[in-house]
Amino acid sequence: MQKRWNIRKYNDELRRKIYELSNILNIKPLTAALLINRGIDEEEKARTFLFPKIDDLHDPFLLKDADKATTRILKAISRREKVLIWGDYDVDGTTGTVLLRKALKYLGLDVDFHIPHRIHDGYGIRRDRLEQIKKDGYTLVISTDTGSTALEAGQWANENGLDLIVTDHHKLDKDQERPFFALVNPNQHDCPYPNKHLAGVGVAFKIAQAVLSRANYAQKSKVISELLELTALGTIADIMELAGENRTIVALGLQNLSDTRQVGLRALMEIAGCLDEIDSYRVGFQIAPRINAAGRLADASEVIELFETESYEKALNLARGLDTKNRERQKLQETAVNEAIRMVEKEKQNNKVLVVASPDWHRGIVGLVAARLVERFYRPSVAISISEGVAYGSARSPDWFDISEGLAACADVLTKWGGHSKAAGFTLPEKDICSLESIINAYALRRFAEELFVPTIEIEAAVKFSTIDFQLYVELRKMEPFGLGNPRPLFVTRSVHLADKPYVLKDKHLKLVLRDADGYKHWAIWWNGVEKLEEKGIDVCKLESSAIDVAYRLDTRDFGSQIKIQLLIEDIRIS
């Protein structure tokens, strides 16, 4: 698919600001330009951005009901009550569960937990489970990453003497009274908390922060540092915006994670091959998929066991088990994605929202299928697993389309639904799948202009290869963590030629040596470049003989005797 390139331009006034900030901070003008692009246009803002610290975090008591929840938790600790943490089966939910258990254990209270099984229990808090929890003698349940819409379960708990504290971050479908002892969710309409982009584990962290502070725990700083590691994992994995407070949380968490003393985390990092270097990319693509594999295909409780064990040998065995499940997940995903692509190419190419369904797809991988369809076709996408007349769907979308609002337009045919602007889940009767497809496509046609459905890459600067050096790479590393809200910078160099024949890796990737008009050379790698060239109708011979414009990000590669800059190609076009 051809992509539209949006290359940022800089007028004289902007150039003046760039050089001014460059001189003040003693950084390259290109780095200063990237900061200004992110609204970091003053020295104080730049230092806060580049050097985040714990004092940058917001007061947790700004969250509505945080004071009420904290008081109730401290009461449970003092009375030695039976308390249960109700989590969720993804990375956000499992890290939140471990985080709350750790925090309360430091304060002297061992608490139990419940993670629903994706297939057997489904998503959310169920009344029948609460009834059993009450019979088992629990007096307080604290949710993490779930619960805001569990009105029936909440009402039952409220009427039967079981206090339910919901900590969550998902959007609420209606502004109505919530029958919980406390609801701590920055996205409820009257919550004054300034950061509306906290992950579920981020909300759990704020409650832990509040409880530790109110309890005057002597080693609060040490515990907070440990909890930030888990919070960073969940925030990255849930693809939350990495700006403002979230950037601080993730930056500090990653700093701590590089030499973590948490046995389970360290073992998982070893198995995932990122023990020597950890960043937001490696968390998102090496750590998170292994954690998620448990909840997608089996029981997410083993993630809790991994993160809480004190035996490194046991942790390695558990991590290997997650790695095996992840490989199984990859095989299931590849089969389902290929089938979904064929469905789209056969009869849905002109649809604005892609809806695909099959009884053969595992319920735990449909979200990944939807994400791959977005990546390939640049359309909001819905993938559905069908079982016994019920459709279990997961939806993903490009940045400009709020998929939760799209599903809200389909509320009449949905049994239940919930999620974020970029990712959501739902169930509905199998017979209503066609109605869902019709309604959500009509919604997209009414609301969005045709040009939005053409993939666009945002390029921050046109540069010469002479600008790309190790000093720039080091300065860009200080801008990490990259992610939503702080994208990894994308550059373009025009009129580049191949300095050598392209080398094909594993029949699909391209390794290139590129030379610009001034004779400067850089190594480059283009993942899935063979397929992408075919999509553009460009053969290798034409690539070798033509001048090309290359859009790329920076990385490094170890050449044995030295580390060199390597370009990660995003796209090319004939000059």
Side-chain angles (χ1 to χ4, degrees), residues 412-455:
D412 288 346
V413 298
L414 300 179
T415 305
K416 63 177 182 178
W417 60 275
H420 318 299
S421 60
K422 305 295 177 291
F426 61 88
T427 60
L428 79 164
E430 179 185 358
K431 64 181 179 60
D432 291 329
I433 292 175
C434 289
S435 296
L436 167 70
E437 183 174 30
S438 176
I439 294 168
I440 199 166
N441 270 279
Y443 168 85
L445 278 170
R446 287 196 310 271
R447 295 287 300 272
F448 299 101
E450 186 69 31
E451 60 263 24
L452 289 174
F453 293 89
V454 178

Side-chain angles (χ1 to χ4, degrees), residues 135-151:
K135 288 178 183 177
D136 292 339
Y138 293 93
T139 54
L140 175 62
V141 174
I142 308 169
S143 81
T144 174
D145 192 36
T146 188
S148 290
T149 58
L151 302 185

Side-chain angles (χ1 to χ4, degrees), residues 191-480:
C191 179
Y193 197 74
N195 179 12
K196 304 298 182 182
H197 302 285
L198 282 172
V201 67
V203 181
F205 170 76
K206 302 307 293 189
I207 290 299
Q209 188 183 15
V211 172
L212 290 163
S213 177
R214 185 71 62 81
N216 293 315
Y217 185 66
Q219 298 185 62
K220 184 182 77 168
S221 296
K222 171 182 172 292
V223 176
I224 289 295
S225 293
E226 186 177 311
L227 300 183
L228 278 168
E229 297 173 14
L230 294 164
T231 313
L233 284 186
T235 300
I236 294 169
D238 224 44
I239 318 178
M240 304 310 296
E241 183 175 288
L242 298 188
E245 184 182 42
N246 278 5
R247 172 180 169 77
T248 301
I249 287 170
V250 172
L252 296 178
L254 288 176
Q255 287 174 19
N256 300 337
L257 201 57
S258 60
D259 56 357
T260 181
R261 295 183 179 181
Q262 298 189 65
V263 170
L265 282 176
R266 193 162 190 83
L268 186 58
M269 289 164 62
E270 179 177 334
I271 294 300
C274 52
L275 196 57
D276 294 333
E277 185 174 11
I278 191 72
D279 55 20
S280 57
Y281 178 85
R282 288 171 175 83
V283 168
F285 290 93
Q286 293 173 243
I287 298 292
R290 288 170 169 82
I291 299 173
N292 266 331
R296 291 189 187 283
L297 303 185
D299 184 356
S301 296
E302 59 190 276
V303 175
I304 312 300
E305 186 179 4
L306 167 66
F307 284 166
E308 293 186 346
T309 185
E310 296 180 1
S311 164
Y312 197 66
E313 183 178 354
K314 182 179 180 181
L316 282 173
N317 286 332
L318 288 166
R320 289 188 187 102
L322 293 181
D323 188 60
T324 299
K325 287 184 179 65
N326 189 50
R327 294 178 192 279
E328 180 185 351
R329 185 272 306 169
Q330 289 172 329
K331 292 177 182 177
L332 292 171
Q333 177 185 333
E334 183 177 8
T335 299
V337 166
N338 289 337
E339 290 175 359
I341 289 172
R342 286 195 292 270
M343 290 178 189
V344 172
E345 291 179 338
K346 183 178 180 181
E347 55 188 17
K348 300 175 186 288
Q349 285 269 39
N350 296 323
N351 289 9
K352 300 305 179 188
V353 181
L354 305 178
V355 180
V356 292
S358 172
D360 298 325
W361 297 341
H362 192 289
R363 203 183 305 174
I365 56 105
V366 289
L368 301 170
V369 174
R372 286 289 298 276
L373 293 180
V374 173
E375 181 183 318
R376 184 178 178 96
F377 297 104
Y378 203 66
R379 296 279 191 276
S381 299
V382 176
I384 296 170
S385 170
I386 303 168
S387 176
E388 299 179 349
V390 180
Y392 301 90
S394 193
R396 300 292 186 270
S397 65
D399 289 344
W400 49 268
F401 190 103
D402 188 323
I403 195 64
S404 66
E405 290 186 3
L407 289 178
C410 308
D412 288 346
V413 298
L414 300 179
T415 305
K416 63 177 182 178
W417 60 275
H420 318 299
S421 60
K422 305 295 177 291
F426 61 88
T427 60
L428 79 164
E430 179 185 358
K431 64 181 179 60
D432 291 329
I433 292 175
C434 289
S435 296
L436 167 70
E437 183 174 30
S438 176
I439 294 168
I440 199 166
N441 270 279
Y443 168 85
L445 278 170
R446 287 196 310 271
R447 295 287 300 272
F448 299 101
E450 186 69 31
E451 60 263 24
L452 289 174
F453 293 89
V454 178
T456 301
I457 58 175
E458 299 293 336
I459 297 171
E460 300 212 44
V463 300
K464 295 183 176 182
F465 276 174
S466 58
T467 306
I468 307 300
D469 59 16
F470 210 78
Q471 180 188 342
L472 176 65
Y473 177 77
V474 169
E475 291 181 0
L476 295 189
R477 286 296 301 266
K478 291 179 181 178
M479 292 180 63
E480 292 193 1

Side-chain angles (χ1 to χ4, degrees), residues 15-63:
R15 289 176 184 276
R16 183 190 64 77
K17 289 182 179 180
I18 288 169
Y19 282 103
E20 185 178 297
L21 190 63
S22 170
N23 290 329
I24 291 173
L25 298 175
N26 193 28
I27 57 177
K28 281 178 169 279
L30 180 54
T31 308
L34 300 176
L35 290 173
I36 289 173
N37 291 347
R38 287 154 179 76
I40 315 298
D41 55 359
E42 298 173 359
E43 180 179 2
E44 185 177 347
K45 287 182 182 179
R47 297 199 184 281
T48 299
F49 182 87
L50 295 172
F51 308 104
K53 54 188 183 301
I54 199 77
D55 291 342
D56 297 334
L57 299 178
H58 301 311
D59 180 354
F61 291 103
L62 291 174
L63 283 160

Side-chain angles (χ1 to χ4, degrees), residues 89-126:
Y89 38 67
D90 65 359
V91 181
D92 197 11
T94 51
T95 52
T97 301
V98 174
L99 184 150
L100 287 174
R101 277 166 57 86
K102 278 181 176 287
L104 296 181
K105 188 173 183 178
Y106 276 117
L107 293 172
L109 186 66
D110 286 317
V111 301
D112 297 318
F113 72 93
H114 172 69
I115 303 286
H117 191 285
R118 183 187 291 264
I119 307 300
H120 304 317
D121 299 320
Y123 174 79
I125 301 175
R126 288 170 41 182

